[in-house]
Amino acid sequence: MSDEVVHVAMFPSAGMGHLTPFLRLASLFLNNNCKVTLITPLPTVSLAESQLLDHFHSSFPQVNFIPFHLQPSSPDSVVDPFFHRVQTLRDSTNLLPPLISSLSPPITVFISDIFLLSPLISITQQLSLPNYTLFTSSASMFSFFSHFPTLAQSISDASAEISEIPVPGIAFSPLPYSSIPPILFKPTIFRNLMMEDSPNLTKLQGVFLNTFKALESHSLQALNNGEVVKGMPPVYAVGPFVPLEFEKESQKETSSESPPLTKWLDEQPIGSVVYVCFGSRTALGRDQMREIGDGLMRSGYNFLWVVKDKIVDKEDKEVGLDEVLGVELVERMKKKGLVVKEWVDQSEILSHKSIGGFVSHCGWNSIMEAALNGVPILAWPQHGDQRINAGLVEISGWGIWNKNWGWGGERVVKGEEIGDAIKEMMKNELFKVKAIELKDGGLRAISIGGDCEVTIQKLIRKWKNNV
Ligand code: UPG
């Protein structure tokens, strides 16, 4: 075996939901003595991303950071700023070859975000660089993504009578039409991206997923047996990714509430608190948020609720809780819970013994963090992959999902329904048992000698031997 160091270049795309898993994956390579170069698109869209990067930088000074300055592009007032960034990144990849060719030692492998697949594959092919991707959602969603061009025709032919569609690799197939992200029914950037990128998956050398066998064995087997797409490269389950020290540091900086928050959690009985958070980029309507407040109060449980009023966190700081929720509700809620409107250390919260359930939008990182901590879920998917992830939560018997709540913004779900659903989640003993079983499965996967370690070390050996 060659003694040369393995040099992994990584290229994430936009948003905490994508950056966080990239940095967690990078730490697996760093812990196995690889050299890591992180190509960092700057400026970041959100403050949370720039703070996380700063702390990653100071925790791993050996990482080579390459700032990637993007092609100028005019802001699109209609498009979500994170979607806009993905498009700009795709349009800027022509600036990449001189950057990566000049690196020393030369790059061994390139790992990029799934959203950058097609523009990058031609570059890595020209440079004869092995190209892997990190797909930041579930194996179930990856199956859907891979199979999308085949599904697309039936999706556009959708008639009222067709209510579901078989998708190989999804354990709960046939997939209800209502679980297909609505943006894929229109000629949006994401529909175009999936149509262009899915056929290019077979040109990759491999795909990393933040998941584990005990949760998604059906999808992983189907993907690796070529049942989803013929010629699919190996799909590696290397999750559940573990939150790292540097993440805590960056969260301390963003949050002024942290000490009282932890202190408050310490004072609550074991398994008694409902945690509510919709990830890093989902802002609910104010009517809906007020109903959530009402629902939490009706549930009778103590709660910790992270409110988000704007998609991008920089703007979130501009308006106070009283304005978003109303003074009366804010006052009423003080008797039963904590409501914050800032970045929290979610991983630490989910690992706290007082947390008994999680009202989640089913962003995949949140789902993996809940799995790692054995926390039952009330799934309330809002957009994108989240209904497919919610379907997995439901079929795994680890939480509930009220499908008639619709996609985010489709209807205002009333406080009474929310309160009842919270009670159902918190009281269900089977969810707790299943959540603990999954936690055990997740911990096994990341233990010494577990699937994650074995896979990463095998790959490093393969890369060292240039195969
Ligand atoms: N988080 C915090 N504190 C907060 C809010 C979020 O630590 O106050 C963290 C959370 O722990 C998680 C990440 O931010 O690690 C959020 O990621 P995720 O739960 O996946 O949600 P999104 O931010 O919504 O992620 C986007 C998509 C989602 C998709 C995911 C991965 O919206 O649908 O599954 O990216 O592709």
Side-chain angles (χ1 to χ4, degrees), residues 42 70 102 123 134 179 191 202 208 223 245 247-248 302 310 352 418 427 441:
L42 292 176
L70 303 161
S102 64
I123 294 174
L134 169 60
S179 287
R191 186 183 160 97
T202 53
F208 291 104
L223 285 161
E245 257 340 277
E247 299 180 35
K248 292 201 178 101
N302 291 345
K310 295 280 188 299
H352 198 283
I418 299 168
K427 285 191 179 138

Side-chain angles (χ1 to χ4, degrees), residues 381-395:
Q382 300 290 314
H383 52 81
D385 56 337
Q386 296 159 12
R387 277 191 165 216
I388 292 182
N389 300 342
L392 182 67
V393 168
E394 188 183 45
I395 198 179

